[in-house]
mmCIF file of all heavy atoms in Angstrom:
data_model
loop_
_atom_site.group_PDB
_atom_site.id
_atom_site.type_symbol
_atom_site.label_atom_id
_atom_site.label_comp_id
_atom_site.label_asym_id
_atom_site.label_seq_id
_atom_site.Cartn_x
_atom_site.Cartn_y
_atom_site.Cartn_z
ATOM 1 N N PRO A 260 -5.246 -6.551 27.609
ATOM 2 C CA PRO A 260 -6.244 -7.156 26.696
ATOM 3 C C PRO A 260 -6.793 -8.485 27.164
ATOM 4 O O PRO A 260 -7.934 -8.831 26.834
ATOM 5 C CB PRO A 260 -5.508 -7.245 25.367
ATOM 6 C CG PRO A 260 -4.507 -6.144 25.426
ATOM 7 C CD PRO A 260 -4.078 -6.088 26.872
ATOM 8 N N ARG A 279 -15.325 9.873 17.345
ATOM 9 C CA ARG A 279 -14.231 10.285 16.486
ATOM 10 C C ARG A 279 -14.666 10.467 15.024
ATOM 11 O O ARG A 279 -13.961 11.068 14.246
ATOM 12 C CB ARG A 279 -13.092 9.258 16.536
ATOM 13 C CG ARG A 279 -12.556 9.000 17.936
ATOM 14 C CD ARG A 279 -11.854 10.223 18.487
ATOM 15 N NE ARG A 279 -10.648 10.534 17.710
ATOM 16 C CZ ARG A 279 -9.904 11.581 17.943
ATOM 17 N NH1 ARG A 279 -10.180 12.419 18.919
ATOM 18 N NH2 ARG A 279 -8.837 11.808 17.181
ATOM 19 N N ASN A 310 -23.280 -5.871 19.172
ATOM 20 C CA ASN A 310 -23.595 -4.542 19.702
ATOM 21 C C ASN A 310 -22.719 -3.451 19.056
ATOM 22 O O ASN A 310 -22.784 -2.254 19.478
ATOM 23 C CB ASN A 310 -23.412 -4.504 21.223
ATOM 24 C CG ASN A 310 -24.348 -5.471 21.917
ATOM 25 O OD1 ASN A 310 -25.503 -5.598 21.524
ATOM 26 N ND2 ASN A 310 -23.846 -6.152 22.950
ATOM 27 N N GLN A 345 3.832 7.344 -15.817
ATOM 28 C CA GLN A 345 3.572 6.462 -16.948
ATOM 29 C C GLN A 345 3.372 5.010 -16.477
ATOM 30 O O GLN A 345 2.588 4.268 -17.071
ATOM 31 C CB GLN A 345 4.739 6.505 -17.951
ATOM 32 C CG GLN A 345 4.776 7.782 -18.790
ATOM 33 C CD GLN A 345 3.728 7.735 -19.892
ATOM 34 O OE1 GLN A 345 2.958 6.804 -20.016
ATOM 35 N NE2 GLN A 345 3.701 8.787 -20.711
ATOM 36 N N LEU A 347 2.068 4.184 -13.522
ATOM 37 C CA LEU A 347 0.775 4.153 -12.855
ATOM 38 C C LEU A 347 -0.367 4.085 -13.882
ATOM 39 O O LEU A 347 -1.322 3.298 -13.703
ATOM 40 C CB LEU A 347 0.595 5.392 -11.983
ATOM 41 C CG LEU A 347 1.571 5.574 -10.816
ATOM 42 C CD1 LEU A 347 1.360 6.920 -10.136
ATOM 43 C CD2 LEU A 347 1.386 4.458 -9.796
ATOM 44 N N PHE A 367 12.767 -6.021 -20.402
ATOM 45 C CA PHE A 367 12.743 -5.239 -21.657
ATOM 46 C C PHE A 367 12.593 -6.141 -22.879
ATOM 47 O O PHE A 367 12.035 -5.743 -23.901
ATOM 48 C CB PHE A 367 14.030 -4.403 -21.796
ATOM 49 C CG PHE A 367 14.105 -3.258 -20.837
ATOM 50 C CD1 PHE A 367 14.825 -3.348 -19.649
ATOM 51 C CD2 PHE A 367 13.443 -2.070 -21.098
ATOM 52 C CE1 PHE A 367 14.911 -2.284 -18.757
ATOM 53 C CE2 PHE A 367 13.487 -0.997 -20.224
ATOM 54 C CZ PHE A 367 14.224 -1.106 -19.054
ATOM 55 N N ILE A 390 6.540 3.653 -24.600
ATOM 56 C CA ILE A 390 6.911 5.078 -24.612
ATOM 57 C C ILE A 390 7.989 5.382 -23.595
ATOM 58 O O ILE A 390 8.749 6.344 -23.750
ATOM 59 C CB ILE A 390 5.661 5.953 -24.360
ATOM 60 C CG1 ILE A 390 5.984 7.405 -24.644
ATOM 61 C CG2 ILE A 390 5.122 5.802 -22.942
ATOM 62 C CD1 ILE A 390 4.785 8.327 -24.639
ATOM 63 N N ARG A 444 18.884 9.158 -0.189
ATOM 64 C CA ARG A 444 19.909 8.941 0.836
ATOM 65 C C ARG A 444 19.657 7.599 1.561
ATOM 66 O O ARG A 444 18.552 7.078 1.535
ATOM 67 C CB ARG A 444 19.925 10.061 1.865
ATOM 68 C CG ARG A 444 18.666 10.224 2.652
ATOM 69 C CD ARG A 444 18.684 11.454 3.567
ATOM 70 N NE ARG A 444 18.710 12.656 2.772
ATOM 71 C CZ ARG A 444 18.786 13.872 3.299
ATOM 72 N NH1 ARG A 444 18.870 14.011 4.602
ATOM 73 N NH2 ARG A 444 18.763 14.932 2.543
ATOM 74 N N CYS A 475 -2.711 21.583 -14.064
ATOM 75 C CA CYS A 475 -3.587 21.441 -15.240
ATOM 76 C C CYS A 475 -4.885 22.219 -15.090
ATOM 77 O O CYS A 475 -5.574 22.437 -16.084
ATOM 78 C CB CYS A 475 -3.910 19.969 -15.469
ATOM 79 S SG CYS A 475 -2.533 19.005 -16.085
ATOM 80 N N ALA A 491 -7.555 1.149 -16.338
ATOM 81 C CA ALA A 491 -8.550 0.077 -16.445
ATOM 82 C C ALA A 491 -9.726 0.498 -17.309
ATOM 83 O O ALA A 491 -10.195 -0.242 -18.183
ATOM 84 C CB ALA A 491 -9.041 -0.313 -15.054
ATOM 85 N N ASN A 524 -21.325 3.515 -19.560
ATOM 86 C CA ASN A 524 -22.759 3.866 -19.594
ATOM 87 C C ASN A 524 -22.889 5.388 -19.728
ATOM 88 O O ASN A 524 -23.170 6.073 -18.760
ATOM 89 C CB ASN A 524 -23.476 3.361 -18.346
ATOM 90 C CG ASN A 524 -23.400 1.850 -18.236
ATOM 91 O OD1 ASN A 524 -23.470 1.150 -19.217
ATOM 92 N ND2 ASN A 524 -23.215 1.370 -16.992
#
Side-chain angles (χ1 to χ4, degrees):
R279 303 293 296 177
N310 299 320
Q345 285 284 1
L347 296 173
F367 289 99
I390 192 172
R444 63 185 66 182
C475 288
N524 299 321

